[in-house]
Amino acid sequence: MSPRPVVAVFNGPNLDLLGEREPEIYGEGTLGDLEDLCRTAAEAHHYDLDFRQTNHEGVLLESLHEIRHTAYGLVLNAAGWTHTSVAIHDALALVRCPVVEVHLSDVHAREPFRVHSYVTPQAALVIVGRGPQGYADAIDALPGLWAHRREG
Ligand code: CA2
């Protein structure tokens, strides 16, 4: 039996504390709830789920290196690093599978510093402002995004 495709869902800083504050922006669910939702969405497509969160940028970079040749899809909420990190931009250039940038909130309708994203140029799809459902939508979109994959 061939192995199931693996979908990586990686989350950046502070998202481990989801549900603790600003429910009007981020909702009331926890990171555990988000993982459950992603697992259900992945299972519907018969994917394995590799769900991670880190508060350390180097850890995220090494996770991106680790999955760069093997993941079927990457769903990335880089949180605050979205707006600051050239290193994450550069690491995403090494990832072969389609990348979906996801944000729980509508980053385009908040403070001006949230509008620019270093992830967007590397993303096949950007989903903002749909809350946790955005992650499930990202997983559902992966088969259609394979047309956008980078060769090499
Ligand atoms: O909307 C998103 O998903 C963001 O990526 C969340 C980041 C923010 O810096 C981005 O601009 C947009 C912030 C994550 C904060 O995590 C929380 C922790 C506890 C309670 C609420 C949010």
Side-chain angles (χ1 to χ4, degrees):
M1 204 167 70
S2 57
R4 305 202 311 173
V6 177
V7 173
V9 178
F10 291 171
N11 297 279
N14 299 312
L15 288 165
D16 53 327
L17 299 183
L18 210 54
E20 275 201 13
R21 61 178 176 86
E22 299 180 285
E24 68 288 357
I25 300 175
Y26 297 112
E28 291 185 351
T30 65
L31 190 68
D33 296 331
L34 197 54
E35 180 170 0
D36 290 346
L37 183 101
C38 290
R39 203 163 294 287
T40 301
E43 198 52 50
H45 293 276
H46 308 286
Y47 303 147
D48 280 342
L49 181 70
D50 179 357
F51 189 96
R52 305 184 196 187
Q53 186 277 332
T54 181
N55 293 320
H56 302 276
E57 190 173 350
V59 171
L60 175 58
L61 292 170
E62 287 180 355
S63 290
L64 294 172
H65 296 177
E66 187 187 325
I67 61 93
R68 71 190 188 280
H69 296 308
T70 55
Y72 175 75
L74 170 64
V75 176
L76 177 62
N77 185 350
W81 296 326
T82 304
H83 317 298
T84 63
S85 181
V86 174
I88 290 173
H89 170 279
D90 292 348
L92 289 171
L94 302 166
V95 173
R96 273 214 200 130
C97 65
V99 176
V100 184
E101 176 181 3
V102 169
H103 299 284
L104 294 160
S105 65
D106 182 357
V107 285
H108 303 128
R110 298 180 61 192
E111 302 96 323
F113 66 82
R114 294 188 200 277
V115 173
H116 180 262
S117 166
Y118 285 97
V119 174
T120 297
Q122 308 290 8
L125 177 66
V126 180
I127 296 176
V128 304
R130 295 189 206 167
Q133 182 59 37
Y135 284 64
D137 293 345
I139 292 169
D140 291 343
L142 290 172
L145 295 177
W146 266 96
H148 294 255
R149 74 190 183 280
R150 281 185 288 272
E151 300 294 343

mmCIF file with all atom_site columns, all heavy atoms in Angstrom, residues 13-15 17-18 21 26 77 79-80 83 103-105 107 114, ligand 1:
data_model
loop_
_atom_site.group_PDB
_atom_site.id
_atom_site.type_symbol
_atom_site.label_atom_id
_atom_site.label_alt_id
_atom_site.label_comp_id
_atom_site.label_asym_id
_atom_site.label_entity_id
_atom_site.label_seq_id
_atom_site.pdbx_PDB_ins_code
_atom_site.Cartn_x
_atom_site.Cartn_y
_atom_site.Cartn_z
_atom_site.occupancy
_atom_site.B_iso_or_equiv
_atom_site.pdbx_formal_charge
_atom_site.auth_seq_id
_atom_site.auth_comp_id
_atom_site.auth_asym_id
_atom_site.auth_atom_id
_atom_site.pdbx_PDB_model_num
ATOM   1   N N   . PRO A 1 13  ? 4.315   32.239 15.932 1.00 0.00 ? 13  PRO A N   1
ATOM   2   C CA  . PRO A 1 13  ? 4.365   32.650 17.330 1.00 0.00 ? 13  PRO A CA  1
ATOM   3   C C   . PRO A 1 13  ? 3.024   33.098 17.901 1.00 0.00 ? 13  PRO A C   1
ATOM   4   O O   . PRO A 1 13  ? 2.227   33.742 17.225 1.00 0.00 ? 13  PRO A O   1
ATOM   5   C CB  . PRO A 1 13  ? 5.359   33.819 17.322 1.00 0.00 ? 13  PRO A CB  1
ATOM   6   C CG  . PRO A 1 13  ? 5.353   34.318 15.917 1.00 0.00 ? 13  PRO A CG  1
ATOM   7   C CD  . PRO A 1 13  ? 5.119   33.105 15.063 1.00 0.00 ? 13  PRO A CD  1
ATOM   8   N N   . ASN A 1 14  ? 2.839   32.727 19.145 1.00 0.00 ? 14  ASN A N   1
ATOM   9   C CA  . ASN A 1 14  ? 1.709   33.114 20.007 1.00 0.00 ? 14  ASN A CA  1
ATOM   10  C C   . ASN A 1 14  ? 0.441   32.326 19.720 1.00 0.00 ? 14  ASN A C   1
ATOM   11  O O   . ASN A 1 14  ? -0.498  32.368 20.521 1.00 0.00 ? 14  ASN A O   1
ATOM   12  C CB  . ASN A 1 14  ? 1.428   34.637 19.906 1.00 0.00 ? 14  ASN A CB  1
ATOM   13  C CG  . ASN A 1 14  ? 2.616   35.457 20.340 1.00 0.00 ? 14  ASN A CG  1
ATOM   14  O OD1 . ASN A 1 14  ? 3.189   35.188 21.394 1.00 0.00 ? 14  ASN A OD1 1
ATOM   15  N ND2 . ASN A 1 14  ? 3.037   36.417 19.537 1.00 0.00 ? 14  ASN A ND2 1
ATOM   16  N N   . LEU A 1 15  ? 0.401   31.594 18.620 1.00 0.00 ? 15  LEU A N   1
ATOM   17  C CA  . LEU A 1 15  ? -0.827  30.858 18.301 1.00 0.00 ? 15  LEU A CA  1
ATOM   18  C C   . LEU A 1 15  ? -1.071  29.702 19.275 1.00 0.00 ? 15  LEU A C   1
ATOM   19  O O   . LEU A 1 15  ? -2.184  29.182 19.349 1.00 0.00 ? 15  LEU A O   1
ATOM   20  C CB  . LEU A 1 15  ? -0.807  30.376 16.850 1.00 0.00 ? 15  LEU A CB  1
ATOM   21  C CG  . LEU A 1 15  ? -0.983  31.524 15.831 1.00 0.00 ? 15  LEU A CG  1
ATOM   22  C CD1 . LEU A 1 15  ? -0.607  31.078 14.429 1.00 0.00 ? 15  LEU A CD1 1
ATOM   23  C CD2 . LEU A 1 15  ? -2.420  32.049 15.843 1.00 0.00 ? 15  LEU A CD2 1
ATOM   24  N N   . LEU A 1 17  ? -1.393  30.197 22.253 1.00 0.00 ? 17  LEU A N   1
ATOM   25  C CA  . LEU A 1 17  ? -2.269  30.792 23.274 1.00 0.00 ? 17  LEU A CA  1
ATOM   26  C C   . LEU A 1 17  ? -3.635  31.197 22.712 1.00 0.00 ? 17  LEU A C   1
ATOM   27  O O   . LEU A 1 17  ? -4.394  31.914 23.372 1.00 0.00 ? 17  LEU A O   1
ATOM   28  C CB  . LEU A 1 17  ? -1.581  32.007 23.915 1.00 0.00 ? 17  LEU A CB  1
ATOM   29  C CG  . LEU A 1 17  ? -0.261  31.688 24.633 1.00 0.00 ? 17  LEU A CG  1
ATOM   30  C CD1 . LEU A 1 17  ? 0.301   32.946 25.289 1.00 0.00 ? 17  LEU A CD1 1
ATOM   31  C CD2 . LEU A 1 17  ? -0.449  30.586 25.676 1.00 0.00 ? 17  LEU A CD2 1
ATOM   32  N N   . LEU A 1 18  ? -3.926  30.724 21.538 1.00 0.00 ? 18  LEU A N   1
ATOM   33  C CA  . LEU A 1 18  ? -5.213  31.018 20.903 1.00 0.00 ? 18  LEU A CA  1
ATOM   34  C C   . LEU A 1 18  ? -6.362  30.693 21.868 1.00 0.00 ? 18  LEU A C   1
ATOM   35  O O   . LEU A 1 18  ? -6.347  29.656 22.538 1.00 0.00 ? 18  LEU A O   1
ATOM   36  C CB  . LEU A 1 18  ? -5.330  30.137 19.656 1.00 0.00 ? 18  LEU A CB  1
ATOM   37  C CG  . LEU A 1 18  ? -6.128  30.622 18.462 1.00 0.00 ? 18  LEU A CG  1
ATOM   38  C CD1 . LEU A 1 18  ? -5.660  32.000 18.004 1.00 0.00 ? 18  LEU A CD1 1
ATOM   39  C CD2 . LEU A 1 18  ? -5.988  29.609 17.330 1.00 0.00 ? 18  LEU A CD2 1
ATOM   40  N N   . ARG A 1 21  ? -7.240  35.391 24.483 1.00 0.00 ? 21  ARG A N   1
ATOM   41  C CA  . ARG A 1 21  ? -7.567  36.828 24.416 1.00 0.00 ? 21  ARG A CA  1
ATOM   42  C C   . ARG A 1 21  ? -8.061  37.159 23.010 1.00 0.00 ? 21  ARG A C   1
ATOM   43  O O   . ARG A 1 21  ? -7.953  36.326 22.100 1.00 0.00 ? 21  ARG A O   1
ATOM   44  C CB  . ARG A 1 21  ? -6.370  37.698 24.808 1.00 0.00 ? 21  ARG A CB  1
ATOM   45  C CG  . ARG A 1 21  ? -5.180  37.490 23.892 1.00 0.00 ? 21  ARG A CG  1
ATOM   46  C CD  . ARG A 1 21  ? -3.996  38.381 24.245 1.00 0.00 ? 21  ARG A CD  1
ATOM   47  N NE  . ARG A 1 21  ? -2.849  38.060 23.394 1.00 0.00 ? 21  ARG A NE  1
ATOM   48  C CZ  . ARG A 1 21  ? -2.629  38.563 22.191 1.00 0.00 ? 21  ARG A CZ  1
ATOM   49  N NH1 . ARG A 1 21  ? -3.474  39.428 21.659 1.00 0.00 ? 21  ARG A NH1 1
ATOM   50  N NH2 . ARG A 1 21  ? -1.563  38.207 21.492 1.00 0.00 ? 21  ARG A NH2 1
ATOM   51  N N   . TYR A 1 26  ? -9.915  36.665 16.894 1.00 0.00 ? 26  TYR A N   1
ATOM   52  C CA  . TYR A 1 26  ? -9.397  35.330 16.575 1.00 0.00 ? 26  TYR A CA  1
ATOM   53  C C   . TYR A 1 26  ? -10.361 34.187 16.914 1.00 0.00 ? 26  TYR A C   1
ATOM   54  O O   . TYR A 1 26  ? -10.048 33.035 16.646 1.00 0.00 ? 26  TYR A O   1
ATOM   55  C CB  . TYR A 1 26  ? -8.070  35.101 17.316 1.00 0.00 ? 26  TYR A CB  1
ATOM   56  C CG  . TYR A 1 26  ? -6.986  36.072 16.892 1.00 0.00 ? 26  TYR A CG  1
ATOM   57  C CD1 . TYR A 1 26  ? -6.510  37.046 17.767 1.00 0.00 ? 26  TYR A CD1 1
ATOM   58  C CD2 . TYR A 1 26  ? -6.461  36.023 15.610 1.00 0.00 ? 26  TYR A CD2 1
ATOM   59  C CE1 . TYR A 1 26  ? -5.514  37.937 17.372 1.00 0.00 ? 26  TYR A CE1 1
ATOM   60  C CE2 . TYR A 1 26  ? -5.475  36.913 15.208 1.00 0.00 ? 26  TYR A CE2 1
ATOM   61  C CZ  . TYR A 1 26  ? -5.005  37.870 16.094 1.00 0.00 ? 26  TYR A CZ  1
ATOM   62  O OH  . TYR A 1 26  ? -4.030  38.735 15.691 1.00 0.00 ? 26  TYR A OH  1
ATOM   63  N N   . ASN A 1 77  ? 0.393   29.454 8.718  1.00 0.00 ? 77  ASN A N   1
ATOM   64  C CA  . ASN A 1 77  ? 0.067   30.716 9.384  1.00 0.00 ? 77  ASN A CA  1
ATOM   65  C C   . ASN A 1 77  ? 1.333   31.136 10.132 1.00 0.00 ? 77  ASN A C   1
ATOM   66  O O   . ASN A 1 77  ? 1.580   30.680 11.256 1.00 0.00 ? 77  ASN A O   1
ATOM   67  C CB  . ASN A 1 77  ? -1.112  30.568 10.341 1.00 0.00 ? 77  ASN A CB  1
ATOM   68  C CG  . ASN A 1 77  ? -1.522  31.910 10.945 1.00 0.00 ? 77  ASN A CG  1
ATOM   69  O OD1 . ASN A 1 77  ? -0.809  32.911 10.795 1.00 0.00 ? 77  ASN A OD1 1
ATOM   70  N ND2 . ASN A 1 77  ? -2.660  31.948 11.618 1.00 0.00 ? 77  ASN A ND2 1
ATOM   71  N N   . ALA A 1 79  ? 1.927   33.835 11.403 1.00 0.00 ? 79  ALA A N   1
ATOM   72  C CA  . ALA A 1 79  ? 1.566   34.824 12.438 1.00 0.00 ? 79  ALA A CA  1
ATOM   73  C C   . ALA A 1 79  ? 2.423   36.086 12.283 1.00 0.00 ? 79  ALA A C   1
ATOM   74  O O   . ALA A 1 79  ? 2.575   36.592 11.163 1.00 0.00 ? 79  ALA A O   1
ATOM   75  C CB  . ALA A 1 79  ? 1.642   34.185 13.828 1.00 0.00 ? 79  ALA A CB  1
ATOM   76  N N   . GLY A 1 80  ? 3.016   36.589 13.350 1.00 0.00 ? 80  GLY A N   1
ATOM   77  C CA  . GLY A 1 80  ? 3.758   37.854 13.286 1.00 0.00 ? 80  GLY A CA  1
ATOM   78  C C   . GLY A 1 80  ? 4.942   37.824 12.324 1.00 0.00 ? 80  GLY A C   1
ATOM   79  O O   . GLY A 1 80  ? 5.305   38.865 11.753 1.00 0.00 ? 80  GLY A O   1
ATOM   80  N N   . HIS A 1 83  ? 4.972   39.273 8.611  1.00 0.00 ? 83  HIS A N   1
ATOM   81  C CA  . HIS A 1 83  ? 5.196   40.677 8.277  1.00 0.00 ? 83  HIS A CA  1
ATOM   82  C C   . HIS A 1 83  ? 6.656   41.106 8.446  1.00 0.00 ? 83  HIS A C   1
ATOM   83  O O   . HIS A 1 83  ? 6.983   42.263 8.226  1.00 0.00 ? 83  HIS A O   1
ATOM   84  C CB  . HIS A 1 83  ? 4.290   41.560 9.163  1.00 0.00 ? 83  HIS A CB  1
ATOM   85  C CG  . HIS A 1 83  ? 2.899   41.024 9.298  1.00 0.00 ? 83  HIS A CG  1
ATOM   86  N ND1 . HIS A 1 83  ? 2.056   40.877 8.216  1.00 0.00 ? 83  HIS A ND1 1
ATOM   87  C CD2 . HIS A 1 83  ? 2.202   40.542 10.372 1.00 0.00 ? 83  HIS A CD2 1
ATOM   88  C CE1 . HIS A 1 83  ? 0.906   40.357 8.633  1.00 0.00 ? 83  HIS A CE1 1
ATOM   89  N NE2 . HIS A 1 83  ? 0.975   40.148 9.922  1.00 0.00 ? 83  HIS A NE2 1
ATOM   90  N N   . HIS A 1 103 ? -4.511  33.166 7.397  1.00 0.00 ? 103 HIS A N   1
ATOM   91  C CA  . HIS A 1 103 ? -4.619  33.999 8.599  1.00 0.00 ? 103 HIS A CA  1
ATOM   92  C C   . HIS A 1 103 ? -6.046  33.920 9.112  1.00 0.00 ? 103 HIS A C   1
ATOM   93  O O   . HIS A 1 103 ? -7.000  34.016 8.321  1.00 0.00 ? 103 HIS A O   1
ATOM   94  C CB  . HIS A 1 103 ? -4.249  35.452 8.307  1.00 0.00 ? 103 HIS A CB  1
ATOM   95  C CG  . HIS A 1 103 ? -2.840  35.581 7.838  1.00 0.00 ? 103 HIS A CG  1
ATOM   96  N ND1 . HIS A 1 103 ? -1.772  35.492 8.700  1.00 0.00 ? 103 HIS A ND1 1
ATOM   97  C CD2 . HIS A 1 103 ? -2.316  35.716 6.597  1.00 0.00 ? 103 HIS A CD2 1
ATOM   98  C CE1 . HIS A 1 103 ? -0.654  35.587 8.004  1.00 0.00 ? 103 HIS A CE1 1
ATOM   99  N NE2 . HIS A 1 103 ? -0.943  35.731 6.725  1.00 0.00 ? 103 HIS A NE2 1
ATOM   100 N N   . LEU A 1 104 ? -6.173  33.777 10.405 1.00 0.00 ? 104 LEU A N   1
ATOM   101 C CA  . LEU A 1 104 ? -7.500  33.710 11.017 1.00 0.00 ? 104 LEU A CA  1
ATOM   102 C C   . LEU A 1 104 ? -8.257  35.011 10.791 1.00 0.00 ? 104 LEU A C   1
ATOM   103 O O   . LEU A 1 104 ? -9.443  35.010 10.463 1.00 0.00 ? 104 LEU A O   1
ATOM   104 C CB  . LEU A 1 104 ? -7.360  33.452 12.519 1.00 0.00 ? 104 LEU A CB  1
ATOM   105 C CG  . LEU A 1 104 ? -6.769  32.085 12.898 1.00 0.00 ? 104 LEU A CG  1
ATOM   106 C CD1 . LEU A 1 104 ? -6.229  32.129 14.320 1.00 0.00 ? 104 LEU A CD1 1
ATOM   107 C CD2 . LEU A 1 104 ? -7.824  31.000 12.747 1.00 0.00 ? 104 LEU A CD2 1
ATOM   108 N N   . SER A 1 105 ? -7.561  36.117 10.999 1.00 0.00 ? 105 SER A N   1
ATOM   109 C CA  . SER A 1 105 ? -8.194  37.438 10.865 1.00 0.00 ? 105 SER A CA  1
ATOM   110 C C   . SER A 1 105 ? -7.973  37.982 9.458  1.00 0.00 ? 105 SER A C   1
ATOM   111 O O   . SER A 1 105 ? -7.140  37.457 8.701  1.00 0.00 ? 105 SER A O   1
ATOM   112 C CB  . SER A 1 105 ? -7.593  38.397 11.895 1.00 0.00 ? 105 SER A CB  1
ATOM   113 O OG  . SER A 1 105 ? -6.218  38.613 11.615 1.00 0.00 ? 105 SER A OG  1
ATOM   114 N N   . VAL A 1 107 ? -6.165  40.256 7.685  1.00 0.00 ? 107 VAL A N   1
ATOM   115 C CA  . VAL A 1 107 ? -4.985  41.113 7.876  1.00 0.00 ? 107 VAL A CA  1
ATOM   116 C C   . VAL A 1 107 ? -5.013  42.349 6.988  1.00 0.00 ? 107 VAL A C   1
ATOM   117 O O   . VAL A 1 107 ? -4.308  43.322 7.257  1.00 0.00 ? 107 VAL A O   1
ATOM   118 C CB  . VAL A 1 107 ? -3.666  40.323 7.646  1.00 0.00 ? 107 VAL A CB  1
ATOM   119 C CG1 . VAL A 1 107 ? -3.378  39.402 8.816  1.00 0.00 ? 107 VAL A CG1 1
ATOM   120 C CG2 . VAL A 1 107 ? -3.696  39.534 6.343  1.00 0.00 ? 107 VAL A CG2 1
ATOM   121 N N   . ARG A 1 114 ? 0.154   45.052 9.096  1.00 0.00 ? 114 ARG A N   1
ATOM   122 C CA  . ARG A 1 114 ? -0.226  43.655 8.820  1.00 0.00 ? 114 ARG A CA  1
ATOM   123 C C   . ARG A 1 114 ? -0.504  43.409 7.345  1.00 0.00 ? 114 ARG A C   1
ATOM   124 O O   . ARG A 1 114 ? -0.762  42.279 6.935  1.00 0.00 ? 114 ARG A O   1
ATOM   125 C CB  . ARG A 1 114 ? -1.464  43.262 9.635  1.00 0.00 ? 114 ARG A CB  1
ATOM   126 C CG  . ARG A 1 114 ? -1.212  43.247 11.117 1.00 0.00 ? 114 ARG A CG  1
ATOM   127 C CD  . ARG A 1 114 ? -2.392  42.674 11.877 1.00 0.00 ? 114 ARG A CD  1
ATOM   128 N NE  . ARG A 1 114 ? -2.350  43.095 13.261 1.00 0.00 ? 114 ARG A NE  1
ATOM   129 C CZ  . ARG A 1 114 ? -1.630  42.504 14.214 1.00 0.00 ? 114 ARG A CZ  1
ATOM   130 N NH1 . ARG A 1 114 ? -0.914  41.436 13.941 1.00 0.00 ? 114 ARG A NH1 1
ATOM   131 N NH2 . ARG A 1 114 ? -1.632  42.974 15.449 1.00 0.00 ? 114 ARG A NH2 1
HETATM 132 O O1  . CA2 B 2 .   ? -4.844  36.464 11.773 1.00 0.00 ? 1   CA2 B O1  1
HETATM 133 C C1  . CA2 B 2 .   ? -3.880  35.693 11.928 1.00 0.00 ? 1   CA2 B C1  1
HETATM 134 O O2  . CA2 B 2 .   ? -3.979  34.473 11.860 1.00 0.00 ? 1   CA2 B O2  1
HETATM 135 C C2  . CA2 B 2 .   ? -2.508  36.283 12.243 1.00 0.00 ? 1   CA2 B C2  1
HETATM 136 O O3  . CA2 B 2 .   ? -1.530  35.509 11.544 1.00 0.00 ? 1   CA2 B O3  1
HETATM 137 C C3  . CA2 B 2 .   ? -2.314  36.155 13.746 1.00 0.00 ? 1   CA2 B C3  1
HETATM 138 C C4  . CA2 B 2 .   ? -1.042  36.821 14.264 1.00 0.00 ? 1   CA2 B C4  1
HETATM 139 C C5  . CA2 B 2 .   ? -0.884  38.246 13.715 1.00 0.00 ? 1   CA2 B C5  1
HETATM 140 O O4  . CA2 B 2 .   ? 0.390   38.756 14.073 1.00 0.00 ? 1   CA2 B O4  1
HETATM 141 C C6  . CA2 B 2 .   ? -1.033  38.296 12.205 1.00 0.00 ? 1   CA2 B C6  1
HETATM 142 O O5  . CA2 B 2 .   ? -0.953  39.637 11.791 1.00 0.00 ? 1   CA2 B O5  1
HETATM 143 C C7  . CA2 B 2 .   ? -2.378  37.725 11.777 1.00 0.00 ? 1   CA2 B C7  1
HETATM 144 C C8  . CA2 B 2 .   ? -1.073  36.908 15.772 1.00 0.00 ? 1   CA2 B C8  1
HETATM 145 C C9  . CA2 B 2 .   ? -1.265  35.619 16.500 1.00 0.00 ? 1   CA2 B C9  1
HETATM 146 C C10 . CA2 B 2 .   ? -1.652  35.920 17.906 1.00 0.00 ? 1   CA2 B C10 1
HETATM 147 O O6  . CA2 B 2 .   ? -2.082  34.759 18.529 1.00 0.00 ? 1   CA2 B O6  1
HETATM 148 C C11 . CA2 B 2 .   ? -3.012  34.871 19.508 1.00 0.00 ? 1   CA2 B C11 1
HETATM 149 C C12 . CA2 B 2 .   ? -2.704  34.385 20.748 1.00 0.00 ? 1   CA2 B C12 1
HETATM 150 C C13 . CA2 B 2 .   ? -3.639  34.451 21.761 1.00 0.00 ? 1   CA2 B C13 1
HETATM 151 C C14 . CA2 B 2 .   ? -4.878  34.961 21.503 1.00 0.00 ? 1   CA2 B C14 1
HETATM 152 C C15 . CA2 B 2 .   ? -5.175  35.438 20.268 1.00 0.00 ? 1   CA2 B C15 1
HETATM 153 C C16 . CA2 B 2 .   ? -4.246  35.380 19.260 1.00 0.00 ? 1   CA2 B C16 1
#
